Amino acid sequence: MSELAISGGTPVRTDPFPAWPVSGEEEARVLAEVLASGRWGSSHGEIVRAFEREFADYQQAEHCIAVCNGTLGLTAALKALGVGIGDEVVMPAYTFVGSATAALMIGAVPVFADVDLRTHLLDPRAAEAAVTERTAAIMPVHLAGQPCDMDALLEIANRRGLAVVEDAAQGHGAEWRGRRVGALGDAGMFSFQTSKNMTSGEGGAVVANAPDLADRLYAQANVGRVPGGGWYQHEHVGFNLRITEFQGAILRAQLRRHPEQTRRRDEFWSLLTGMLAGVPGLRVPDIDPRVTAHGRHLFTFRVAGLGDVDRKRRFVRALAAEGVPVSGGYVGLHRNDAIRREIHTITTRLGRPEPAAELPATDELVAEAMWLSPQTLLGTKTDAEDIAAAISKVLDHSMQL
Ligand SMILES: *Cc1c(COP(=O)(O)O)cnc(C)c1O
């Protein structure tokens, strides 16, 4: 057995993985055009508007509002749906902090429900068990680009009279039973932050089908203005979440790259999944057969029996030393002190107890799950072989970690 690179052995690889983001002449040209046009803001331009049209079509939604980031896009979606002070929003705790932040920023209370260990996604039964008379919305998170069980979640929401806001920050192009995610529920958010599969450095979008909701989303992103209304006609209280024409131009170009990049990620994903299939102790998430397109954002895997977060950290560091960039994943929002403090503050002011959060499956993911840096998925077959070799090597030595 060759020695681990972290203990002084030879790393599996030293070559870098593909760079991200990807840009070319197209991006350079369109940026120069916006610069020269003097129309930099989207309120007086056509480029962001065109992107909104194109992205709505891409996600098979009727409407799209571009916003300056995904976190505030989620906040705007909740607010536009009437979610407010003291309302509860059921969501997984195994997600990015922005999912919960979005609720807390409008005085709503995130209520964490457990994930299904097989998929790493919000467990519909746990979500329903978390619903109370104060629940206003469910927030499925299409983590890694893998759609949640939207049949079950929409059925629960319809039966219980709840709004559904999809956190599709990682779900560009993803599809549940032949329908793209985002507007399967009432509204859905996508992020264009640097690490995401479509990016303008920062940015986001909210999609929806209902025209009245789209108007309220527009107002949330445009200081309360109404579509077609006057500049100083503020009929609602809203944020300014607009993006610039520079971002719109980049996004239009990135959108055109996305299908081909997704094909490469698909191919890489199946190669790597095949290579890792027989590796003992390693588990990749099950993909529901009703997922007809996976967003392929994060290749996630679990190392069974790692047991705790510190040991996982050492595993991640050992992989990095072998030349494979891996993230140790989320810490679980039910264990984040800032989120807990904010929930405590809001519920105390309302004279209510804090919602309980016993999440054994989430805790197991926190202890065992990790994912490859997203740009590795644009790699070659050799890159996949190196990753599989590095994972196997570190697993062989995992007793030493
Ligand atoms: C990236 C991300 C967000 C937040 O998006 P930003 O654009 O970074 O604000 C929210 N939820 C999930 C699951 C994410 O991955």
Side-chain angles (χ1 to χ4, degrees):
M1 229 181 338
S2 58
E3 202 171 351
L4 287 177
I6 204 168
S7 323
T10 312
V12 169
R13 67 180 277 142
T14 47
D15 291 347
F17 283 94
W20 183 261
V22 172
S23 69
E25 277 172 28
E26 168 81 356
E27 281 81 358
R29 183 179 58 80
V30 294
L31 279 179
E33 279 171 14
V34 175
L35 186 68
S37 78
R39 287 189 301 277
W40 298 354
S42 50
S43 356
H44 299 97
E46 290 299 327
I47 298 172
V48 170
R49 209 166 305 158
F51 170 72
E52 289 174 336
R53 198 57 274 133
E54 288 164 2
F55 193 68
D57 288 347
Y58 199 65
Q59 293 302 142
Q60 300 172 335
E62 291 298 320
H63 304 278
C64 168
I65 311 286
V67 291
C68 54
N69 61 66
T71 305
L72 283 169
L74 270 184
T75 310
L78 291 170
K79 184 116 176 93
L81 282 158
V83 179
I85 296 170
D87 288 337
E88 294 179 352
V89 182
V90 173
M91 63 180 70
Y94 199 75
T95 179
F96 183 66
V97 70
S99 313
T101 306
L104 290 165
M105 284 302 190
I106 51 172
V109 180
V111 174
F112 300 120
D114 216 350
V115 290
D116 183 331
L117 259 185
R118 291 168 301 182
T119 58
H120 304 183
L121 303 171
L122 182 60
D123 179 344
R125 271 169 310 170
E128 175 146 36
V131 172
T132 70
E133 69 276 12
R134 296 177 294 271
T135 308
I138 300 182
M139 187 186 290
V141 180
H142 304 309
L143 192 68
Q146 182 170 335
C148 296
D149 181 348
M150 291 304 288
D151 290 4
L153 291 166
L154 288 170
E155 189 277 322
I156 294 164
N158 287 340
R159 186 159 39 76
R160 310 286 296 245
L162 308 172
V164 173
V165 177
E166 292 167 65
D167 179 338
Q170 306 178 4
H172 319 79
E175 222 177 80
W176 174 258
R177 280 208 294 119
R179 294 291 305 169
R180 295 243 161 137
V181 301
L184 297 172
D186 295 282
M189 172 279 278
F190 295 82
S191 170
F192 305 130
Q193 178 268 342
T194 305
S195 70
K196 304 297 184 336
N197 285 3
M198 195 182 299
T199 180
S200 45
E202 296 289 349
V206 185
V207 298
N209 286 333
D212 56 327
L213 177 58
D215 287 355
R216 292 198 300 278
L217 282 167
Y218 177 93
Q220 280 309 312
N222 286 281
V223 284
R225 293 189 186 113
V226 291
W231 188 248
Y232 293 120
Q233 184 186 342
H234 309 280
E235 297 190 7
H236 305 267
V237 172
F239 304 100
N240 170 6
L241 306 179
R242 292 187 301 274
I243 62 172
T244 66
E245 294 285 90
F246 293 104
Q247 288 164 291
I250 293 271
L251 285 169
R252 290 187 79 189
Q254 295 284 307
L255 179 56
R256 281 194 280 277
R257 294 181 187 278
H258 188 258
E260 188 267 332
Q261 288 174 339
T262 302
R263 275 192 295 278
R264 282 166 60 191
R265 291 187 180 101
D266 270 333
E267 207 179 302
F268 186 91
W269 196 286
S270 55
L271 278 172
L272 185 58
T273 306
M275 291 172 193
L276 294 174
V279 178
L282 199 83
R283 304 253 342 236
V284 296
D286 290 350
I287 297 174
D288 192 304
R290 291 168 293 177
V291 171
T292 44
H294 190 299
R296 306 294 190 211
H297 183 55
L298 301 172
F299 188 97
T300 306
F301 53 95
R302 266 168 68 205
V303 179
L306 266 184
D308 70 71
V309 182
D310 289 332
R311 193 132 173 267
K312 182 171 81 172
R313 281 206 194 102
R314 293 197 289 276
F315 196 98
V316 166
R317 275 203 300 273
L319 266 178
E322 299 299 337
V324 174
V326 171
S327 161
Y330 300 131
V331 299
L333 298 183
H334 63 314
R335 306 220 178 265
N336 175 296
D337 285 338
I339 297 290
R340 286 165 65 156
R341 251 188 342 262
E342 196 73 10
I343 292 173
H344 178 80
T345 302
I346 294 173
T347 50
T348 304
R349 285 194 190 176
L350 295 168
R352 285 190 205 157
E354 285 170 50
E358 288 295 317
L359 310 173
T362 301
D363 290 335
E364 206 165 324
L365 275 190
V366 170
E368 297 187 346
M370 57 195 95
W371 52 69
L372 296 176
S373 170
Q375 65 249 55
T376 57
L377 308 184
L378 290 172
T380 60
K381 184 169 177 221
T382 310
D383 293 337
E385 283 164 356
D386 287 346
I387 290 171
I391 292 174
S392 296
K393 183 178 172 188
V394 176
L395 270 170
D396 283 344
H397 291 77
S398 62
M399 294 317 288
Q400 291 164 230
L401 293 170

